[in-house]
Amino acid sequence: MGRYTTIKDIAKLAGVSHTTVYRALNDKPRISQSTKERIISIAREVNYQPNVLAQSLVLGRTKTLGLVITTIINPFYPELAKGIEDTARSLGYNIILCCTDFDISRESRYIDMLRSRGVDGIIFTSAHTHDPNITRLVKDHFPLILVNRRVYGDPMMDSIDYVVVENAKGGFLAVEHLIKMGHKRIGVISGSPDSSAVVERLEGARKAFIEYGLNSANLLVLEGDFLKRSGYEAARRFLAMADPPSAIFGVNDYMALGAFEAVLDSGLRVPEDIALIGFNNITFSAMKGIELTTIGQKKYEMGSIAVHTLIDKIEGRDREKVKQIALEPELIVRRSCGYHYKGVYRSPSGGPLNIRNLR
Amino acid sequence: MGRYTTIKDIAKLAGVSHTTVYRALNDKPRISQSTKERIISIAREVNYQPNVLAQSLVLGRTKTLGLVITTIINPFYPELAKGIEDTARSLGYNIILCCTDFDISRESRYIDMLRSRGVDGIIFTSAHTHDPNITRLVKDHFPLILVNRRVYGDPMMDSIDYVVVENAKGGFLAVEHLIKMGHKRIGVISGSPDSSAVVERLEGARKAFIEYGLNSANLLVLEGDFLKRSGYEAARRFLAMADPPSAIFGVNDYMALGAFEAVLDSGLRVPEDIALIGFNNITFSAMKGIELTTIGQKKYEMGSIAVHTLIDKIEGRDREKVKQIALEPELIVRRSCGYHYKGVYRSPSGGPLNIRNLR
DNA sequence: TTAGATTGAGTTAACGTTAACGCAAAGGGC
DNA sequence: GCCCTTTGCGTTAACGTTAACTCAATCTAA
């Protein structure tokens, strides 16, 4: 506040036209060295900062990106957001944070707002494989990139850039690990099937069941909402079944950790009584006392790659190329599924295995 | 992209002047009902969205706030940020996310950027009690609010709005709890003394020692950096002492959880061998398997109150009043300090207490 | 010497809004 | 019927940049 110093103020001080000031401050030709220096020193004196709004208006770009996520409360996003923010900053871009809370109409309003504000591009991470908001943006050739999700539907959608982890492969690895640990009946805590990540992880899970000759009827799926509480509730429901699964795969760690609590609250142990595997490898999964086995993905890198790709598009590099990047998932074995030792499956305490439903 | 529909485009379509369009779309008087309706329907047809940049330029406000935090990786901030984002959105404001990574010069550059971008106000959460950046902003009467921190120094600083928790009281409660549990030698994992929250929490801790007649020499302080890893390392150093403390107070949960891991990695148990208390009550502290006793504070509310107060100032309400709000901390007893049962201190397993250094 | 290029500026318009002002036509009160 | 107000517009300028265009003075090359 208190009004800014403008180029015109400096012009007045220096007794020149505002264009001359502009030339001085932006290293443009057609100005003598002496006036240039004089102007620059005046600008420094009054601590001149250009008005980015005015610049944006005339240049038609804001050096700002929108980041659309569901909720920052899900620990997956801060880790992703760090990669995004770091990279954006290093490239001179700012981030406007938008949390949709899983509400597609709120997403829609956010998009309108972001476009009104002239953001140069949008990073989408939230759910919804068939997102009309995205469709519209693509039709308008608005620069965007999807992270950790894909959209289906229009053939046009095939040209959308994205950065994901090989979700199907990750789902496969998770369930394969459980199968190798001897589990034959597995509960999956899924998220909304609107999320491509969920669909693909489930797909991978099923593929593992088939590949290992198991009956898919023993792959039990309950739907959560990606948040911890829903993982808790789903796990309770699994445990209350007449023939409960001996292992649970949470399609994200946050729900898996909810399940972890549910198991303990039920007086059971992880992994002695029930095995647990997650997806994402959020920081807290590694905690002693939890040690969730999970599928790791490079969240920071994903964010960083997304920003680079998006900004490349915005600044006109590789305009034509469609960038669809799938990173490798990685099985991270910790404690929550037990482990093999000398060919024998053991509970982590080293004692004999004690999984009720392990047949 | 693909260029926006502007007010002038609509004017052309409707065969009127752009001012008339403006009047129609903004419910201004001096326009007939019929043209108004005609224009509105055209605007709807072409999906007109006003250019916020242009609006901001002429109105001198952007309906945007800067949110300056250290790093979104610290789980305290997402919870706070949620309150901030929710509230800002509901009041029609956007948030630009700025992570300083504890670097005051990066903070400085961010502030310049935010001001260049004409944000209407800034929310500060990062460290540094004597922050020259803040001093400058206050001198310029730039709207700002501090969350979870205060600044000292200038007498001018007394007029800065802030929302905090009663940190001294929280620190007192934490250490008092440990003392009541029988601990007489306590390690504190502190953060940078540049953080007012840290200073005040330590102050509270010392007050408890004094009030309970303990020797302050038994209040051991090691400095961390607010992140988990540093909590881990500090705890290792405590445990390696010739006469280690029997309890550790982490000035934030994130470091306390690092300490938790360090204790377990050292082959000791929490709380049987060593008690642990944190501060902030982040989501994961409540997890089964961790159950960190901690000082709770209303993070979401803090963010929400901050945004309300800041926007009140921005929009000219209560301009003169200084709003300095301190919320009540709350002791949240879980498992990590053990508990009293029938007047006898017991380890959570219910067996006899086994704290090595409890005298 | 002189046409042509170069230098060092200034003038003007544009970006898309908001808003002050102007002005003719219609309406209203006496 | 006259004056004054109101209505329904249009014109113009402003916000702070960027940038195209203009123009005189100086320099340069034949």
Side-chain angles (χ1 to χ4, degrees):
Chain A
M1 305 242 324
R3 231 189 101 265
Y4 242 72
T5 315
T6 73
I7 259 186
K8 285 184 182 167
D9 296 332
I10 298 178
K12 217 164 278 169
L13 289 174
V16 297
S17 78
H18 73 277
T19 310
T20 304
V21 176
Y22 168 68
R23 282 193 267 254
L25 300 180
N26 293 71
D27 256 329
K28 298 286 175 183
R30 322 222 115 207
I31 185 171
S32 73
Q33 194 56 31
S34 60
T35 33
K36 187 168 178 173
E37 279 164 9
R38 194 162 53 87
I39 290 172
I40 288 180
S41 91
I42 294 178
R44 215 189 318 266
E45 227 166 276
V46 299
N47 187 32
Y48 170 74
Q49 294 292 131
N51 181 321
V52 176
L53 254 61
Q55 287 181 329
S56 297
L57 189 59
V58 58
L59 294 178
R61 54 108 253 253
T62 52
K63 291 250 181 184
T64 305
L65 306 178
L67 171 58
V68 179
I69 66 179
T70 56
T71 165
I72 192 77
I73 287 303
N74 182 337
F76 173 76
Y77 291 114
E79 301 189 39
L80 184 70
K82 180 163 170 57
I84 288 172
E85 204 267 349
D86 275 3
T87 311
R89 186 182 38 71
S90 77
L91 297 175
Y93 281 72
N94 278 132
I95 295 291
I96 294 183
L97 180 65
C98 308
C99 303
T100 65
D101 234 336
F102 306 95
D103 178 345
I104 200 149
S105 83
R106 188 173 293 179
E107 175 180 291
S108 178
R109 265 170 289 140
Y110 255 130
I111 291 173
D112 285 346
M113 205 186 234
L114 289 173
R115 297 189 70 174
S116 277
R117 271 165 204 261
V119 297
D120 298 334
I122 304 184
I123 302 166
F124 282 94
T125 70
S126 51
H128 288 102
T129 42
H130 298 266
D131 187 329
N133 293 324
I134 304 275
T135 316
R136 220 182 61 207
L137 288 170
V138 172
K139 278 212 186 84
D140 296 352
H141 297 99
F142 193 93
L144 64 87
I145 188 159
L146 309 182
V147 181
N148 193 41
R149 65 179 290 199
R150 284 193 268 188
V151 285
Y152 313 121
D154 279 50
M156 180 184 262
M157 295 300 156
D158 293 343
S159 63
I160 304 182
D161 293 351
Y162 59 73
V163 190
V164 294
V165 71
E166 275 288 4
N167 281 303
K169 182 164 179 191
F172 181 90
L173 287 175
V175 171
E176 179 185 48
H177 180 66
L178 292 175
I179 294 171
K180 282 187 175 168
M181 292 313 223
H183 298 276
K184 295 186 170 61
R185 188 169 168 82
I186 295 173
V188 181
I189 304 175
S190 140
S192 157
D194 283 338
S195 156
S196 66
V198 166
V199 171
E200 291 163 20
R201 287 170 197 182
L202 282 177
E203 202 179 283
R206 286 208 191 82
K207 185 158 163 264
F209 249 60
I210 292 165
E211 206 152 289
Y212 283 83
L214 296 181
N215 182 353
S216 300
N218 285 316
L219 192 69
L220 283 43
V221 179
L222 288 178
E223 186 180 324
D225 68 356
F226 300 106
L227 301 185
K228 190 153 151 273
R229 170 115 221 112
S230 78
Y232 183 94
E233 279 156 11
R236 291 303 286 234
R237 285 176 56 198
F238 277 133
L239 296 174
M241 286 178 173
D243 184 11
S246 65
I248 293 178
F249 167 35
V251 298
N252 74 10
D253 278 6
Y254 205 32
M255 290 193 294
L257 293 178
F260 183 89
E261 294 203 86
V263 172
L264 268 59
D265 273 356
S266 305
L268 300 173
R269 289 160 306 162
V270 174
E272 289 84 349
D273 299 312
I274 193 152
L276 203 55
I277 192 165
F279 203 118
N280 281 350
N281 190 27
I282 63 176
T283 308
F284 284 99
S285 300
M287 277 281 297
K288 279 274 149 50
I290 295 181
E291 293 156 275
L292 182 71
T293 292
T294 187
I295 304 298
Q297 59 169 315
K298 301 203 174 78
K299 298 173 285 297
Y300 186 97
E301 286 77 2
M302 220 159 80
S304 180
I305 291 171
V307 170
H308 276 293
T309 326
L310 179 57
I311 290 181
D312 276 353
K313 281 281 158 66
I314 289 169
E315 299 186 346
R317 293 184 290 277
D318 293 339
R319 257 283 158 66
E320 70 295 345
K321 264 191 237 157
V322 178
K323 294 265 182 86
Q324 301 185 328
I325 298 163
L327 305 177
E328 274 296 301
E330 177 198 7
L331 173 68
I332 297 172
V333 178
R334 297 208 180 94
R335 195 183 161 282
S336 69
C337 298
Y339 59 92
H340 281 280
Y341 179 64
K342 300 202 180 189
V344 183
Y345 182 62
R346 322 215 104 204
S347 79
S349 57
L353 183 66
N354 175 28
I355 294 186
R356 288 184 302 159
N357 297 287
L358 196 65
R359 281 163 274 240
Chain B
M1 304 238 329
R3 231 188 101 264
Y4 242 73
T5 314
T6 71
I7 260 187
K8 285 184 183 168
D9 296 331
I10 298 178
K12 218 164 277 169
L13 289 174
V16 296
S17 78
H18 72 276
T19 310
T20 304
V21 176
Y22 167 68
R23 282 194 267 254
L25 300 179
N26 293 71
D27 256 329
K28 299 286 175 183
R30 324 221 114 206
I31 184 171
S32 73
Q33 194 57 30
S34 60
T35 31
K36 187 169 178 172
E37 279 164 11
R38 194 163 52 88
I39 290 172
I40 288 181
S41 92
I42 294 178
R44 215 189 319 265
E45 228 166 275
V46 300
N47 188 32
Y48 168 76
Q49 294 291 132
N51 181 321
V52 176
L53 254 61
Q55 287 182 328
S56 297
L57 189 59
V58 57
L59 294 178
R61 54 108 253 252
T62 53
K63 290 249 180 185
T64 305
L65 306 177
L67 171 58
V68 179
I69 66 179
T70 56
T71 166
I72 193 77
I73 287 303
N74 182 338
F76 173 75
Y77 291 114
E79 301 188 41
L80 183 70
K82 181 163 169 54
I84 289 172
E85 205 267 348
D86 275 3
T87 311
R89 185 184 36 72
S90 78
L91 297 174
Y93 281 73
N94 277 132
I95 295 291
I96 294 184
L97 180 65
C98 308
C99 303
T100 65
D101 234 336
F102 305 96
D103 178 345
I104 200 147
S105 83
R106 187 173 294 178
E107 175 180 291
S108 177
R109 265 169 289 141
Y110 254 130
I111 290 173
D112 284 346
M113 206 186 235
L114 289 173
R115 297 188 71 172
S116 274
R117 271 164 203 265
V119 297
D120 298 334
I122 304 184
I123 302 166
F124 283 93
T125 69
S126 50
H128 287 102
T129 41
H130 298 266
D131 187 329
N133 294 323
I134 304 274
T135 315
R136 221 182 60 208
L137 289 169
V138 172
K139 278 212 188 85
D140 295 353
H141 297 99
F142 193 92
L144 64 87
I145 187 159
L146 310 182
V147 181
N148 193 42
R149 65 180 290 201
R150 283 193 268 186
V151 285
Y152 311 123
D154 278 50
M156 181 184 262
M157 295 300 156
D158 293 343
S159 62
I160 303 181
D161 292 351
Y162 59 73
V163 190
V164 295
V165 70
E166 275 288 5
N167 281 303
K169 183 166 178 188
F172 181 90
L173 287 174
V175 171
E176 178 184 48
H177 180 66
L178 292 175
I179 293 171
K180 282 186 174 168
M181 291 314 224
H183 299 276
K184 296 184 169 63
R185 189 170 167 82
I186 295 173
V188 180
I189 304 176
S190 139
S192 156
D194 283 337
S195 157
S196 66
V198 166
V199 171
E200 291 162 19
R201 287 171 196 181
L202 282 177
E203 201 179 283
R206 285 206 191 86
K207 184 157 164 267
F209 248 62
I210 292 165
E211 206 152 289
Y212 282 83
L214 296 181
N215 182 353
S216 301
N218 285 316
L219 192 68
L220 283 45
V221 180
L222 289 177
E223 187 179 322
D225 68 357
F226 299 106
L227 302 185
K228 193 152 149 272
R229 170 115 221 111
S230 78
Y232 184 94
E233 281 156 9
R236 290 304 284 235
R237 286 176 55 199
F238 277 132
L239 296 173
M241 286 178 173
D243 185 10
S246 64
I248 293 178
F249 167 34
V251 297
N252 75 9
D253 278 7
Y254 204 33
M255 291 192 294
L257 292 177
F260 183 90
E261 293 203 88
V263 172
L264 268 59
D265 273 356
S266 304
L268 300 173
R269 291 160 305 164
V270 174
E272 290 84 348
D273 299 313
I274 193 151
L276 202 55
I277 192 165
F279 204 118
N280 281 350
N281 190 27
I282 64 176
T283 308
F284 284 98
S285 300
M287 276 283 296
K288 278 276 148 51
I290 294 181
E291 293 157 275
L292 182 71
T293 292
T294 188
I295 304 299
Q297 58 170 315
K298 300 203 175 78
K299 298 174 285 298
Y300 185 96
E301 287 75 4
M302 219 158 83
S304 180
I305 291 171
V307 170
H308 275 293
T309 325
L310 180 57
I311 291 180
D312 276 353
K313 282 280 158 67
I314 289 169
E315 299 187 346
R317 291 185 290 278
D318 291 340
R319 257 282 158 66
E320 68 295 343
K321 264 191 236 156
V322 178
K323 293 265 183 85
Q324 302 186 327
I325 299 162
L327 305 177
E328 274 296 301
E330 178 198 8
L331 172 68
I332 297 172
V333 178
R334 297 208 180 93
R335 195 183 161 282
S336 69
C337 298
Y339 58 93
H340 280 281
Y341 177 65
K342 300 202 183 191
V344 183
Y345 180 61
R346 322 214 106 204
S347 78
S349 57
L353 183 65
N354 176 27
I355 294 185
R356 288 184 302 158
N357 297 288
L358 196 64
R359 282 164 272 242

